[in-house]
Amino acid sequence: MTKPVSNYAELIVQGLKQAKVEIVASLPESMLKQLYPMLREQFRYIQVSNEADLPGIVAGAYFGGKRAVIVMENSGLRQAAEPIARLTFGHRIPMVLLMPHRGDLGEDVWWGHGHSETMVPMLDALRIRYWFVYKLEEIVPSIEKALLHADAGQVAVALIFGGECREVPKHA
Amino acid sequence: MKRLALAKLVRQVLKKDDLVVCGLGATEAAFKEAGPVSPTYFASDPMGLWPSIALGLALAQPRRRVTLLAGDGDLLMNLQVLATIASTPAKNLRIVVFHNGAYSSTGGQRLAGERLSFAAVANGVGFGWAFESTGEEETRKRLEELLARPGPALLDVHLEDEPCPAAPPGPWSQVEERTLFMKALQNLTHEAG
C-alpha cells in the first residue's frame, strides 16, 4: 500500500519544523489557505493586520534567539517594503518570506496579475534572493535551505510557491 | 513633566534583567541621558517599527519583561500594531508612551491627531491594562502598576512639548548595535544559568 502524498500545507509545516522555526508571523490569504490553521496549531502564530508589521516581529524574534518566518501574499511585499529595507540593509536581519505566486500564468483572477508583475522587480529592488517552488518534493528542502541561506548571509530570502505548491488558482 | 523626568522614572522601576526597546529621536536622547540599567536596544531607525520588534522579542523571551519606550509620533505611524499585540500571549510586554503631541527632533511639528489617547486605543483593541498619566507623582504610581501586572499593558504619559534637536549618528552601525544587544542578552542568559 503506497503512502498517501502529503499536500503542500503539510509539507510547508514539515519544512518549518525541520528548520526549527518556532514563530510564524502572517497575514493570511487564500492561495495557501490550508496552511494557516496548521500554523496556528503547531507554531507560535502571530497574525497581523498589515504586512508592514511582519518584518519587525521576525527581527525581534531574531534578537531574542528564535527562528521566525513571514507568510503572506506576494502583494504584501509592496506593503512591507520599507521595514524590510530598513531591517535588512541597516540591521542585517536574516529574514525568510514564504509567499504564494498570486498572478501566475493562467490565473483568471485579473486583480492578482499585478502582484506577479511587481513581485520580481520588488524582490530585486530589495536585494532579496528568491527561488520558485513548484513541485511538492521541493518544499521541505527549499525551506531548510532558505533558513540556512538567510542565517549564514544575514540576508532576506523569499520562497515563491506556485504549481502544485498552493491552491489551484481560481477566484477566491 | 519633562521627558527626561519620565526617562528617570522608567529607569527607577526597571530591573537589571529586563529588556528594553527604546524608540528613536527625543525618547532615545532622554533615556540615554537617564542611563539604561539593563540590555537596551536603541532603535535609531526607523519610525513605526519598534512595537513589532518589541513584540517579536517578547515572544522569543517569554520569561523576561520587555518594555517598549515609544515616542507618540513613532507609535502613531503604525498604530494598528496595538491590535496585533493585544491578540498575542505577550504577557511580558509593556509600553510606555512619551506623549508630547509633536515631532520633537524634526522641529516640533504637531502630530495629526495630537489629542489622541493611546490608552483609549489600547483599551479598545483589548489590552488588559492601559492608562494615561500626567505629572511625576501620578506617573510613578502608574509605572509601578504597569510593571507589576501582566501585559500587554500600556501607559500613555503626557509630557511638555520641549524641543529636541536631532542627534548625530552614534559611533556604532545598526548591525553593530543589534549585535551588542544580542550579546548582552546572551550574557544575561548565561549569568542566570
Side-chain angles (χ1 to χ4, degrees):
Chain A
M1 187 173 151
T2 56
K3 190 180 171 187
V5 177
S6 299
N7 76 2
Y8 74 85
E10 293 166 334
L11 290 167
I12 290 173
V13 168
Q14 184 185 335
L16 293 172
K17 292 269 185 191
Q18 288 183 206
K20 298 187 169 28
V21 170
E22 294 181 55
I23 297 170
V24 178
S26 174
L27 186 56
E29 44 67 58
S30 58
M31 293 195 79
L32 299 177
K33 65 184 175 189
Q34 294 180 62
L35 175 63
Y36 298 105
M38 295 182 192
L39 294 176
R40 191 178 286 279
E41 280 178 12
Q42 301 192 46
F43 297 88
R44 175 65 75 205
Y45 178 75
I46 305 301
Q47 184 172 310
V48 303
S49 56
N50 184 319
E51 289 95 341
D53 291 331
L54 296 170
I57 294 170
V58 169
Y62 178 71
F63 289 169
K66 301 287 187 194
R67 271 186 158 175
V69 299
I70 290 170
V71 183
M72 65 180 184
E73 191 176 69
N74 51 352
S75 60
L77 265 179
R78 300 185 302 233
Q79 191 75 353
E82 165 69 353
I84 290 172
R86 299 272 193 163
L87 291 171
T88 56
F89 293 141
H91 300 258
R92 300 286 295 180
I93 305 294
M95 198 173 295
V96 172
L97 303 91
L98 309 183
M99 306 180 292
H101 191 172
R102 170 62 81 187
D104 201 2
L105 180 66
E107 200 174 316
D108 65 349
V109 179
W110 52 265
W111 48 259
H113 294 178
H115 301 357
S116 181
E117 289 174 44
T118 56
M119 178 177 67
V120 168
M122 287 295 298
L123 290 166
D124 286 338
L126 293 166
R127 305 291 186 267
I128 298 175
R129 299 289 308 279
Y130 59 90
W131 283 268
F132 290 92
V133 182
Y134 273 52
K135 293 188 179 301
L136 291 176
E137 63 267 26
E138 297 169 345
I139 291 177
V140 172
S142 297
I143 291 173
E144 288 195 283
K145 288 174 184 173
L147 267 294
L148 183 63
H149 195 99
D151 277 350
Q154 299 189 330
V155 294
V157 172
L159 295 179
I160 301 143
F161 295 99
E164 305 169 346
C165 304
R166 44 87 167 110
E167 301 294 316
V168 175
K170 57 187 176 183
H171 182 68
Chain B
M1 182 169 47
K2 294 184 183 297
R3 69 172 71 85
L4 180 58
L6 173 56
K8 287 179 177 174
L9 287 178
V10 170
R11 185 185 191 281
Q12 287 172 17
V13 296
L14 292 174
K15 297 176 180 170
K16 70 173 186 176
D17 57 352
D18 284 337
L19 304 178
V20 176
V21 175
C22 181
L24 72 171
T27 307
E28 175 183 1
F31 198 60
K32 277 183 173 168
E33 188 172 343
V37 294
S38 61
T40 301
Y41 191 70
F42 287 103
S44 76
D45 174 76
M47 283 179 68
L49 202 49
W50 300 97
S52 57
I53 288 183
L55 172 60
L57 180 62
L59 293 168
Q61 291 284 323
R63 293 180 184 171
R64 295 197 186 283
R65 300 194 306 190
V66 175
T67 301
L68 169 68
L69 308 182
D72 51 0
D74 196 350
L75 185 56
L76 187 58
M77 184 172 271
N78 238 355
L79 197 55
Q80 81 285 338
V81 73
L82 293 179
T84 297
I85 290 170
S87 70
T88 71
K91 294 187 185 304
N92 55 333
L93 177 59
R94 283 97 174 171
I95 301 171
V96 179
V97 186
F98 285 57
H99 191 166
N100 68 348
Y103 296 107
S104 301
S105 41
T106 61
Q109 301 90 346
R110 303 302 299 172
L111 262 60
E114 63 182 276
R115 294 174 63 192
L116 172 73
S117 165
F118 291 96
V121 174
N123 278 318
V125 297
F127 273 50
W129 188 97
F131 282 92
E132 296 180 55
S133 76
T134 307
E136 287 196 37
E137 190 176 334
E138 182 187 11
T139 300
R140 180 183 290 108
K141 175 175 160 285
R142 289 295 189 198
L143 279 171
E144 286 168 358
E145 290 173 15
L146 175 77
L147 272 294
R149 56 157 299 117
L154 179 144
L155 182 62
D156 180 7
V157 184
H158 291 275
L159 299 172
E160 294 174 31
D161 181 13
E162 309 166 75
C164 180
W172 304 105
S173 69
Q174 290 173 317
V175 68
E176 288 167 324
E177 289 273 13
R178 66 95 165 147
T179 304
L180 290 169
F181 175 77
M182 291 170 71
K183 187 69 184 166
L185 175 53
Q186 283 175 359
N187 289 342
L188 203 60
T189 305
H190 183 68
E191 284 168 18

